[in-house]
Amino acid sequence: MALEGKGDQIKGNIKEGLGELTDNEKLQNEGKADSLIGNVKESVANAGDAIKDKASEVAEKVEDKANEVAAKVEDKREEREAENN
């Protein structure tokens, strides 16, 4: 979606520039709207990437903690087994 956003920004800049050259206010406004839509699409894509990165970071921390707890449980099991023998 980020590339799509960039495409809309470029298209909008071209339309806006052509509108200025030809003194066509409607084309200028269409260009501004396309650029704005492109900015929004790019922002949404970037936010989505940030959320995915944070979710991966949290999942990694949870996995590390689960492995730590599992290791402690295994150590306790081995201690009890050694005590019983």
Side-chain angles (χ1 to χ4, degrees), residues 1-19 25-43:
M1 191 170 219
L3 286 177
E4 186 179 337
K6 281 290 185 198
D8 286 336
Q9 290 171 356
I10 292 168
K11 179 176 74 171
N13 289 337
I14 291 170
K15 278 185 175 180
E16 191 174 353
L18 286 173
E25 192 173 325
K26 181 181 179 218
L27 191 57
Q28 282 179 300
N29 289 336
E30 286 177 13
K32 289 176 184 178
D34 287 344
S35 291
L36 179 61
I37 289 168
N39 289 337
V40 170
K41 285 180 179 178
E42 188 173 18
S43 294

